[in-house]
Amino acid sequence: MTELGRLEDLPQEYRDALTKLNLVPLWPSLRGVMPANKPRPHTVPTMWKYADIKPLLLQAGELTPIEKAERRVLVLANPGHTLEKMQASPAMYLGMQLLLPGEWAASHRHTPNAIRMIVEGEGAYTTVEGEKCYMSRGDLILTPTGLWHEHGHDGKDPVVWLDVLDLPLAYYLEVSYHNEGVKQEHVEASKEPFYSTGGVVPSPMFERSKQQYPMYRYPWTLVRQTLEKMAALQAPDEMASVTYVNPETGDDAENILGYYALMLRPGQTLQLPVRSPSIVFHVIEGSCEIDIEGVPYQMGLADTTCAPGYTPITLKNHSSQPSFLFMTDETPLHRKLGVFENRTKRSKKET
Ligand code: 1HN
């Protein structure tokens, strides 16, 4: 590959003349913005242990009243992007949020899409567009772009959940903003049981739902059952995994980020395909080892790990119990942009 000219090769006078006019020579930076054959990600493999986060989150509960925080969150920031950027990957934001009994996180809506994966505690709920979605460990609750949402807590113990947003992308695109709302009235219980089984969707008066987001809450009990049934039918080396979808269309549940759950059988080792999107793993039940480019990360209950794209990843369950993981990645975004790649089988682009 041809070595390109460096900035230092140019006379200072010439460089100054360019700078004054807001001009930049491309060739000294060309390999940086477009390296050969494979991107050079800022995202570095990073693990956050829940045992480290929890005491600091509870301390935040003492230090900062909910009214002064709006959302009481410790952000899981990837050092490869610098912590100030508050991003786990190019398009993924992760945060651990604490809501104490009796607390209220006021209604708002915003342009970034969000989900929460419930980590621990009972009795809290998110109201999404008038639909009350109770939180139990492992449940997934959607708050897609533009939809009003607020959090309340009628239970006795602290509730913690993992927030995932496509905030870094929205911020980069200069489209990130929020509106403050008023407390939601006419609240009804979440309606997900219509979508749980049987291969049917509601069609009152023969009409199918025209809502882009017909389902806000995906109960873990049902997802777990599905994974167990899949695993029971599969060969031992197969991947028992599901994608969270819009049950009306089969499309990804949200537009930008993909959400998945996976079961690792006791003793199972699973080599994941090498693909372009960054990916995040979060342990819902059990434990596992995640090898990212050969480096092992030991994941216990509620631990979270982020890996860059284009990276070989192997999952290993060393225990005698099944392990259940929640995963989120940038696949829907990559597919829409036409940059999605699966390099498991050597592609022409790779040579
Ligand atoms: C947000 O609205 C929530 O509604 C959580 O719980 C985390 C991070 C950045 C911007 C908005 C929530 C958020 C957020």
Side-chain angles (χ1 to χ4, degrees), residues 71 73 93 97 108 110 112 114 116 143 149 151 161 163 165 167:
R71 300 298 193 259
V73 177
Y93 156 104
Q97 181 161 172
H108 71 187
H110 39 69
R116 48 230 43 165
T143 52
H149 57 281
H151 313 300
W161 63 78
D163 287 309
L165 282 82
L167 176 65

Side-chain angles (χ1 to χ4, degrees), residues 42-49 75-81 83 87-89 94 279-281 290 292 295 297 299 303-308:
H42 293 293
T43 307
V44 293
T46 308
M47 176 170 63
W48 296 268
K49 303 289 286 178
V75 178
L76 282 53
N78 191 303
H81 289 272
L83 301 188
Q87 57 193 100
S89 76
L94 304 175
I279 184 164
V280 165
F281 303 92
I290 303 186
I292 305 172
V295 179
Y297 296 82
M299 296 266 285
D303 293 347
T304 307
T305 290
C306 174

